[in-house]
Amino acid sequence: MNSELYVLPLVVRIERAAPQTSPGPGPGPAKGPRQGPPERTDALEAAAMAVLSLLDEPGEWTGELHAWQSTGKIRKVVRRARGAEWRRALALPGRTIEHRTAEVRVHPPVPLDDWPRDLARLQVSGTELTDTTPPVPAGPPILWANPALEMSAGKAMAQAGHAAQLAWWASDADERATWRERGLAVSVRMAGTQEEFDSMVAAGLPVVRDAGFTEIEPGSCTFVADAPWLYGRVPTSGA
């Protein structure tokens, strides 16, 4: 198995928003819960947690995961699904993370040019999400996005997954155990200023440097992972 040719598929569930209708007089069909796209921050955090879940407990996919990670090339691709597409994704080997408004499914690494058909047919583009309400207060680890870069939600989800993975690699067994007790939770936020982001990059924290496959110039710092135990660890990776 050549890990350089493998990627980790992530699928985010993005259902269409249900039409907003006013109840009319007389009997009518019962209205179910409103469906629609997840909040952007929830989706980014769910993607990071999905990656961490697989790293922590790979189970039957240990071989695929080891080969994929062995060269440090941790490429991920995020695709979107709804309705029958989502149900087909659920039928494939993988694991689903539900986080607030978001559902993200992580699948074991697959060859770059030989995806399962039901994943290959899913779209990459169009993963545009926004936050309609302020995110909840952040707690460590916090994955800070570079405020100078514009990324689609799909791209940002993959980059947040990279940052979470670098933070996991940089943590020792006790730190991972504490993180595990907290449900492998992460927070994803935009850095307040470029100066603040650059200061964290310079502090020896895990930094994602983009490989330039999509959207971002090669070598750009997209995310930095911030937690008290991570300062001075300095692992970096192309993504």
Side-chain angles (χ1 to χ4, degrees), residues 12 28-29 34 69 76 80 135-136 154-156 176 190 192 201-204 219:
V12 57
R34 184 183 186 278
Q69 292 187 101
K76 303 171 182 67
R80 60 185 175 91
V136 301
K155 176 70 171 180
R176 290 180 180 180
M190 182 73 72
V201 170

Side-chain angles (χ1 to χ4, degrees), residues 19-20 24 28 36 45 55 98 110 114 127 137 150 152 164 205 208-209:
Q20 299 299 296
E45 292 175 350
L55 295 174
E98 298 182 6
V110 297
D114 189 22
T127 311
E150 292 187 8
S152 67
L205 291 167
V208 180
R209 301 180 190 276

Side-chain angles (χ1 to χ4, degrees), residues 23-31:
K31 294 179 66 177

